[in-house]
Amino acid sequence: MKQRPHRVRLLCLTAASALLFSACSTADPAPDSGSSEQPQSPQGSASSPAPSTEAETTAATTGSPSASAQPSKDISAQLTVSKEVMGIGFKLPEHWSVAGDDCQGECTEYDNWEVKDRRGEHVLTLIPNTATSPDGDTNLYEREVLVQKPVPQLKTPTSLLAEFWTGTSQEDGEKETGFSLALIDDQVLADRTEMPDLEYFKIGDSQAPMFWVDDEYMEDQGIGDDPTREGVDTFLASDEYQTVEAILLSVRHAAS
């Protein structure tokens, strides 16, 4: 945190000449004896450390360097529309929509459902029931968890997980970076290794949905095609992130 340097008032003191004392007092009068003003320590003084802010305390607790920049307003209060898709319920802001991707009214639990914002931009993808295959991905992964929050209304322990990762090809050692934001079953999270894995959670005994934020949407928010931590931190500090986080945390078993 940057602080403005304290200005230290220089007091002209002399006992040698009344005339000199008078000139100095006229240019910069000293405070009277009844003043409550105290001399201020200059920036960096060990005797006057800057107090910690609430945001700094939050960042230290969570371990996320971007946590201190996150907006404090309650975005979840803006989720006023309830949706249900194939046994999965969640909330959206007003004027957002969700529809099966090109299934033309004959949607199944394996189709991609797109959650779109008020501008019609694709923000999240939902697959109500998914296969358990990493689709030929053989990279080895190093993952840095930036946000992990529980979804308490689900019967099976589930977390919202935001993580920055580096994938290394086992064939030529080429590296790529990425960022993912999705729901994941806590047991899957506990058991995963550096090998590829799917980010899915459970509804009931057999249904395994996937619900994640679209890569192109995150690129549009400044993360870029080859994500950097700086770009990810900027996204995590935005209202757009707070909105998608609130949507994911609202996921529940559908009432019907």
Side-chain angles (χ1 to χ4, degrees), residues 210-250:
M210 296 179 71
F211 203 10
W212 74 93
V213 181
D214 182 68
D215 290 343
E216 291 186 6
Y217 174 77
M218 290 190 291
E219 289 178 13
D220 292 342
Q221 302 309 312
I223 290 180
D225 188 33
D226 295 312
T228 64
R229 270 302 307 273
E230 292 77 12
V232 168
D233 288 347
T234 298
F235 176 58
L236 291 178
S238 68
D239 284 352
E240 287 75 16
Y241 167 76
Q242 293 291 312
T243 299
V244 295
E245 178 187 274
I247 293 171
L248 290 171
L249 291 176
S250 76

Side-chain angles (χ1 to χ4, degrees), residues 108-215:
T108 71
E109 59 188 2
Y110 297 100
D111 286 312
N112 286 6
W113 291 70
E114 294 184 354
V115 174
K116 297 183 179 181
D117 64 16
R118 64 182 63 241
R119 300 183 302 270
E121 185 175 0
H122 178 193
V123 180
L124 298 101
T125 300
L126 169 66
I127 303 180
N129 200 9
T130 181
T132 55
S133 168
D135 297 327
D137 184 359
T138 61
N139 283 351
L140 300 179
Y141 288 90
E142 297 177 8
R143 304 176 176 96
E144 181 181 2
V145 175
L146 303 179
V147 179
Q148 182 176 352
K149 295 185 178 182
V151 188
Q153 63 272 18
L154 291 179
K155 297 175 183 178
T156 301
T158 301
S159 292
L160 173 147
L161 190 72
E163 59 183 7
F164 183 76
W165 50 261
T166 301
T168 303
S169 170
Q170 296 190 66
E171 297 178 357
D172 56 15
E174 184 178 353
K175 295 181 180 294
E176 62 175 332
T177 59
F179 174 71
S180 61
L181 176 57
L183 296 185
I184 184 169
D185 180 89
D186 284 357
Q187 190 60 52
V188 173
L189 182 59
D191 293 342
R192 71 178 182 173
T193 63
E194 65 180 351
M195 301 295 290
D197 67 290
L198 280 180
E199 295 163 334
Y200 66 90
F201 59 104
K202 296 177 182 176
I203 294 287
D205 296 330
S206 59
Q207 191 173 350
M210 296 179 71
F211 203 10
W212 74 93
V213 181
D214 182 68
D215 290 343

Side-chain angles (χ1 to χ4, degrees), residues 78-83 90-96:
Q78 301 178 18
L79 307 187
T80 58
V81 179
S82 294
K83 296 290 184 179
F90 53 94
K91 292 183 177 181
L92 296 175
E94 189 177 8
H95 304 305
W96 283 46

